[in-house]
Structures are given as C-alpha cells and as structure tokens.
Amino acid sequence: MSLPPEKASELKQIIHQQLLKMDVHGRIREVLAETIREELAPEHQQLSTEDLIKALRQRGIIDDVMKELKFVTDVNEKERTSAPKPSTHFVDREPPVLKKSDGSKMVDATTMLSICDPVHMVLIKTDTFGETTLVASYFLEWRSVLAAENGITNIAVELLGVGTESSVSVGVLNIRLEMYPQLNKMLSSEITSTQFTLERQKTAEKERLFLVYAKQWWREYLQIRPTHNVRLVKIFAQDENGVNRPVCSFVRPLRAGRLLDTPRQAARFVSVLGYERAPVIGGGGGKQEQWCTLLSFLCRNKGDCEDHSNLLCSLLLGFGLEAFVCVGTKAKGVPHTWVMTRGTDGTITFWESLTGHRYIHRPVNPDDPPLVEQPKPLYPYRTIGCVFNHQNFFGNCQPSDAVDVCVFDLHDESKWKPMSGEAIKSVCPPGATSSVPPFPPLCASAIDAAVTSNEVELQLRILVSEHRKDLGLSTVWDDQLSYVLSPALAAYELERTTGVSAGNEEFQDAIRRAVPDGHTFKGFPIHFVHRNGRRAFATCLRSPFCEEIICCRGDQVRLAVRVRVFTYPESACAVWIMFACKYRSVL
C-alpha cells in the first residue's frame, strides 16, 4: 500500500531524526574507515556499496536502527480517519513513535509458505540495432529460503532455451536469496519439501483429471459431425518452454491502472507491440507452436498473433467487457487468432489485435432467397473453430465454420459446445495452484516522446542529405513546412486510436498558406512501431512515391520531414513520419 506524499514526507522526517539521534552517520564513517584499513590492500582503496552494507550488518548497526524504529499497533479511530497534515519543515523535538496498522504486519513463515506463486525470470538478448530475442524463461521456486539458515540461501539454476531449443542449456544462473527483515522463526527443510511435494501432487492430479475430461469432450465433439476433426479447436497450447497448458490459462482480466484509459486505446497499445512469428527450423512452411506467457511477451516487446490476442482479450476483460479469443483462419486457410466482444444487446465486435481495427459482425443467413441483399463482411477472417477466455471454452458445432454465416449465441448448445466451467477453473488461476504467476502489472513508458522524436528526425535529415548528395543534389530544409506537418501526424494517431478523424481542415489551410502560388506540394506519411531511423529510411525508399519526394528535382526545391513518437506502456511506441517537398512548377 503506497503512502500519500505528505505521509511519506513525515516518515522521512522521523527516520532522519532517529538517524541523527543515534549518530548513525558517524558510526558509518567509523566502519568505513575501519573496513578500508583492515580488509583492503593499500593499493586498492576502493569499497563497493555492497561491501559497506555487509560490514554494517556484521557490526549490528542495521539491526540497531531497525530496533530503535519501534512499531505499535494501537492506532485509534480518530488517527485513522483524520485528514493528514503536510509537514513543511524539520522540528527539533523528540521523534514520535512510528505507528503501523495491523494490516501491514510482517507475516510469519507458515503464511509465506502458502504463497505458491513462483518468481518468473526472463532473459532477453538485445543486439546493436535494438532487436530483442527471448533467450530463456524460468520459474523460480523462492520458498526454499524459508528453511535456509539465517534466511540466506544460494541456488544455481540451469536456464534452458525456448521454443525448438527448450531442451538446450543456455547457461547457469547463480542466485542468492535473502529474507529481509529476517523471520522470527524459520521452517525446517522437511516442512518445505513436504509442502512442495503435496502441491506438485495436487496440481498433477488436477491436470490429469482435466486431460481425461478434455479427451472425453473431444470425443463427444467429433460424434456431432465427423468433419469437426479438421476445425481449429485449440484446447491446449505450448508455451515458450514447450510446456502444454490449457489455452484458458493464457488469459485473465488485466487492469492497466492509469496507463490506458479506454478499450480502444488498449487495442492501439497491443497493435504497436511488434509482430514476429515463432522461428521454425527447417523448411516445409509450417508454423512453430509457441504461445508466450505475458511477461515473456512484454519483455521481448514482440510476439505472434496469439500473444497479441491473449493480451488484448485480458485488457478488454479488465475494462469490464465480455471478451473472447477466437481461433480460426484468415485468407488462404492461414491459422489466425483475434478477439471478439459481445455487447449486452448482442452486438458482436471483432478486434484485430495486430492492427487495432474493429469490425461489426452481421451474419449472413444462408436460407434467405437469392434476391435478399446480404451484408458484405469487411473483416479478413474466414473460419472459426473455437472461442475462449479465462472462464469459458466453446467449440463451434454449427454446420459451417465460415465466420460470415456463424451465429455467436454462445448459450445455444446446438451451435456451441461448452466445456465445464468447473473443469476450467480447476486448472486455471485463480482457482488452481498454477506454476504460472499472476500477470505482471504494465509498466509506464520509459521513452521521452519529444526527445526521441527530435533524435529520429535529425537522423532522417542527415540520411536524406547524404542520399541527395550522392545523386548530385543539394538539400535545403524548410523548418516551417516541417512544423506544420505535425497536426497531420497527430490526427493519424488519433484516428488509429479512436476511429475518429479530426483537424484535417486546419492542416489543409496551413499547407495552402505555406506553399506559394505556382508551387507544388507533395507529402508522404508512413507509420512504424520501432525507433530505428536508418531502418525506417530504407523502408521509405522502397516506396516510389516517397523516393520521388526525397529525390525531388526542380526549381526552388524545399524539403521537410516531421517525426512524431507516441508512447504507450512497456515502452511500446507508434512512430509517424512524414516526408514532404514543395517546388516551383515549371511547364
């Protein structure tokens, strides 16, 4: 639980006064001098922070400070409800006793043993161009420290690769676990081992029973119609470590806090995360099975369509919508996943997680006479085999699995065969003891949009000037023309996020004023989800229209370029670039 700023300020004052009272600063200086004198050679008079903390702990100074900061729990109701008063200065008086409510009392070892969520560690490799690769994903059982002597243990874990290399070792990681503050009473290793064994047995039994149920469900599904065996009904999927998991476990409601305000903004955020299919070793054109856990997907900042769909569905569930992941195909029978929401009025909306586009589904009635006009679907989806979320799984058992004729009345068991909600709950959080930890909260962007926009724009100016110089052309930049391109880029991003176009009239008017009579204006906008200016420039040159602008020849040629970076959580970004030129028309 976070403190309000005024309470945090008051707490800092109390700690500061206590440190002054105990002369902790003087004692630290003494320990520092003594440690350098006794433990370091004269020719190596450097001491790390870790060495200093170790020395302070050995001499009991840290323990003394913690003991002096007494905590009491007799907080009366008046103090709990009174409005906090901000502290504006330090006062020279006896420090008050720091009070603490029962709700934030340190739990004991037995309670901590019941917290079975592992620590998920992801190893990412980033090359010189900023491209990321998922190297390893490991779930650490941290509770062994509860039985460690002095609350400290060292563990060596072998990290394995991902995907097709999930059985290949990539290295050994040495981990030091320390419980701080130390527990009053540690557990015995027999207790922790017994707990781990019981949990493994319980989880294995639940997974076995779910597998038995899933096989029975599948047999019943095939008995409805033999052609069901070719439909994309996905009950299990392999994660990055090659572990088979129920698809429902990849989705759960995810709230973005203050980072995303609307479902459509969430769809835009998911769409600007990079798209990359899992690598396949060898030919044949097959697709590698790999549904990444959420942390791996976010750390890598890119993934396949399944990763995007699972994240978007989780965010839409967090916004209170009834959302499902759809498994089916798009054009040419290519397997694909997307997201569907059902409105309270029965409206079915498809969300394409890779682009953020939304489509309203209006089913075609195949029994209507030929003269009856049928709705023309705008979505790219062709067939659908199943839909699922964190609580439900439905297999499509309608005569045709074509999306355009599909009716999404999920409560009609003649159209959709449901799985038992209790069976799903037994193997999917929060009802199950799972080896997958809760979803991590989204992190705010670490990118400074203005600084990054300037950096990419400057890089593009240099690249354009060098390219034109190689062609024997001079380059004159028009800063004002570059600036008036900004509203167009903002409007493009607004339209991608909300579906509403705005501000075009002002932009058109500004361009008319910036381009004199007898001159021609050309502009080329383009969108990227990376911040590599050289890579973006190479892509732009492949467009004949953009190349015509960059390589423009004529009288009084003036060039312009504007870059606008829009930041999203997890340092994802949408980068809009517009190249433009104006020149005097010569007949």
Side-chain angles (χ1 to χ4, degrees):
M1 182 177 71
S2 60
L3 289 173
E6 59 274 5
K7 282 293 183 182
S9 176
E10 184 178 346
L11 180 58
K12 289 178 182 177
Q13 290 182 36
I14 295 170
I15 295 175
H16 177 77
Q17 292 161 1
Q18 188 66 34
L19 295 178
L20 290 176
K21 177 183 177 183
M22 297 176 62
D23 191 26
V24 170
H25 300 88
R27 296 170 68 184
I28 289 176
R29 283 192 291 270
E30 292 174 5
V31 171
L32 179 60
E34 181 183 343
T35 304
I36 292 177
R37 184 171 59 252
E38 295 180 356
E39 300 181 10
L40 294 179
E43 68 275 6
H44 186 250
Q45 296 287 308
Q46 290 185 347
L47 190 67
S48 69
T49 303
E50 186 176 343
D51 293 332
L52 178 58
I53 292 176
K54 181 181 177 181
L56 292 172
R57 186 170 294 160
Q58 288 176 344
R59 288 159 176 78
I61 294 177
I62 292 180
D63 290 336
D64 290 344
V65 173
M66 295 303 295
K67 290 175 183 176
E68 286 294 326
L69 290 173
K70 298 182 178 67
F71 295 87
V72 298
T73 58
D74 54 341
V75 182
N76 60 43
E77 194 63 31
K78 181 179 178 181
E79 290 173 326
R80 291 180 183 176
T81 57
S82 60
K85 297 180 180 179
S87 301
T88 57
H89 60 280
F90 289 108
V91 289
D92 186 16
R93 58 181 174 81
E94 282 294 311
V97 178
L98 184 62
K99 298 186 177 181
K100 178 179 174 184
S101 66
D102 293 331
S104 51
K105 187 186 296 183
M106 183 69 180
V107 299
D108 58 20
T110 304
T111 305
M112 297 191 73
L113 185 62
S114 66
I115 304 174
C116 57
D117 297 325
V119 175
H120 190 185
M121 300 186 298
V122 173
L123 181 61
I124 299 291
K125 178 177 68 176
T126 306
D127 64 17
T128 54
F129 301 103
E131 288 296 309
T132 56
T133 305
L134 179 61
V135 178
S137 172
Y138 185 80
F139 296 96
L140 174 68
E141 177 50 79
W142 59 271
R143 290 174 294 173
S144 58
V145 73
L146 298 176
E149 186 178 357
N150 299 323
I152 302 174
T153 184
N154 294 288
I155 305 173
V157 298
E158 182 183 25
L159 300 180
L160 300 177
V162 297
T164 55
E165 300 178 5
S166 58
S167 60
V168 180
S169 176
V170 297
V172 175
L173 181 64
N174 292 315
I175 302 172
R176 174 188 170 94
L177 296 177
E178 181 174 357
M179 184 65 66
Y180 192 83
Q182 289 189 9
L183 297 171
N184 293 328
K185 183 179 179 182
M186 307 303 291
L187 300 176
S188 68
S189 57
E190 291 80 8
I191 292 177
T192 56
S193 298
T194 302
Q195 177 71 13
F196 298 159
T197 302
L198 289 173
E199 288 177 359
R200 283 193 296 268
Q201 291 174 347
K202 185 177 180 181
T203 301
E205 179 63 12
K206 286 186 175 182
E207 291 175 348
R208 186 190 69 82
L209 292 174
F210 181 78
L211 180 59
V212 170
Y213 169 77
K215 288 180 177 179
Q216 177 63 29
W217 184 94
W218 177 246
R219 282 194 295 268
E220 294 172 356
Y221 182 72
L222 293 181
Q223 289 172 3
I224 298 173
R225 197 172 287 109
T227 55
H228 283 181
N229 65 344
V230 296
R231 295 191 179 183
L232 283 179
V233 179
K234 192 79 175 167
I235 303 175
F236 295 93
Q238 284 189 356
D239 66 10
E240 66 266 24
N241 292 325
V243 177
N244 278 311
R245 302 187 187 278
V247 292
C248 296
S249 67
F250 288 90
V251 174
R252 65 187 85 166
L254 177 63
R255 296 194 295 186
R258 305 285 183 183
L259 302 180
L260 297 170
D261 296 320
T262 67
R264 297 191 187 191
Q265 191 181 19
R268 179 58 176 158
F269 156 59
V270 175
S271 72
V272 299
L273 293 169
Y275 169 64
E276 180 182 83
R277 294 181 62 175
V280 179
I281 298 178
K287 182 180 178 182
Q288 173 65 31
E289 168 83 355
Q290 182 175 306
W291 291 30
C292 281
T293 52
L294 180 60
L295 183 62
S296 298
F297 176 38
L298 293 177
C299 289
R300 194 167 58 137
N301 236 238
K302 59 185 176 183
D304 213 332
C305 61
E306 294 87 359
D307 305 324
H308 287 78
S309 296
N310 291 335
L311 174 56
L312 177 56
C313 184
S314 298
L315 288 168
L316 296 184
L317 288 169
F319 275 111
L321 301 181
E322 185 183 14
F324 300 86
V325 175
C326 303
V327 181
T329 63
K330 52 184 182 180
K332 299 181 180 179
V334 176
H336 191 63
T337 61
W338 65 98
V339 177
M340 173 189 83
T341 54
R342 294 199 328 149
T344 54
D345 60 353
T347 301
I348 301 297
T349 306
F350 293 148
W351 304 65
E352 176 48 59
S353 62
L354 297 179
T355 63
H357 292 164
R358 300 166 64 255
Y359 309 94
I360 302 298
H361 171 65
R362 296 182 178 87
V364 172
N365 188 350
D367 298 327
D368 281 343
L371 295 179
V372 176
E373 186 177 357
Q374 298 287 358
K376 294 181 179 179
L378 301 176
Y379 45 77
Y381 317 121
R382 295 293 178 265
T383 67
I384 182 167
C386 65
V387 301
F388 68 88
N389 60 20
H390 63 304
Q391 295 176 327
N392 303 281
F393 185 97
F394 299 95
N396 183 5
C397 53
Q398 299 172 64
S400 171
D401 62 350
V403 177
D404 54 359
V405 300
C406 189
V407 176
F408 288 91
D409 182 0
L410 300 180
H411 299 294
D412 186 345
E413 295 192 13
S414 68
K415 294 181 174 63
W416 295 92
K417 179 173 174 58
M419 267 195 169
S420 163
E422 288 299 317
I424 293 172
K425 186 178 179 181
S426 70
V427 291
C428 296
T433 303
S434 173
S435 58
V436 180
F439 279 5
L442 296 181
C443 294
S445 178
I447 299 171
D448 187 316
V451 171
T452 307
S453 299
N454 288 336
E455 289 175 348
V456 177
E457 188 172 307
L458 178 60
Q459 189 178 10
L460 289 175
R461 283 198 175 201
I462 295 172
L463 291 169
V464 169
S465 298
E466 290 177 347
H467 186 75
R468 288 177 61 84
K469 184 178 180 181
D470 293 341
L471 298 175
L473 300 172
S474 61
T475 303
V476 180
W477 294 100
D478 187 328
D479 292 339
Q480 176 61 18
L481 182 59
S482 296
Y483 181 73
V484 298
L485 299 178
S486 298
L489 302 184
Y492 297 150
E493 183 62 20
L494 179 66
E495 185 175 9
R496 288 288 183 95
T497 304
T498 65
V500 177
S501 179
N504 188 54
E505 298 83 0
E506 293 88 349
F507 171 67
Q508 295 287 349
D509 187 67
I511 291 297
R512 291 190 188 98
R513 294 177 182 277
V515 179
D517 291 340
H519 285 63
T520 299
F521 170 82
K522 292 181 179 179
F524 176 79
I526 190 168
H527 169 257
F528 297 96
V529 295
H530 62 79
R531 308 185 302 279
N532 188 320
R534 187 173 294 276
R535 181 175 153 199
F537 183 68
T539 302
C540 292
L541 284 179
R542 289 198 287 269
S543 166
F545 193 74
C546 185
E547 191 204 18
E548 183 181 330
I549 293 174
I550 293 173
C551 305
C552 181
R553 300 170 183 264
D555 185 23
Q556 299 181 22
V557 175
R558 299 292 183 269
L559 294 174
V561 62
R562 192 64 171 172
V563 176
R564 180 68 167 87
V565 175
F566 298 88
T567 58
Y568 288 91
E570 297 294 334
S571 296
C573 61
V575 180
W576 284 97
I577 301 172
M578 182 179 279
F579 290 98
C581 69
K582 65 178 182 179
Y583 57 91
R584 185 177 180 184
S585 303
V586 179
L587 298 177

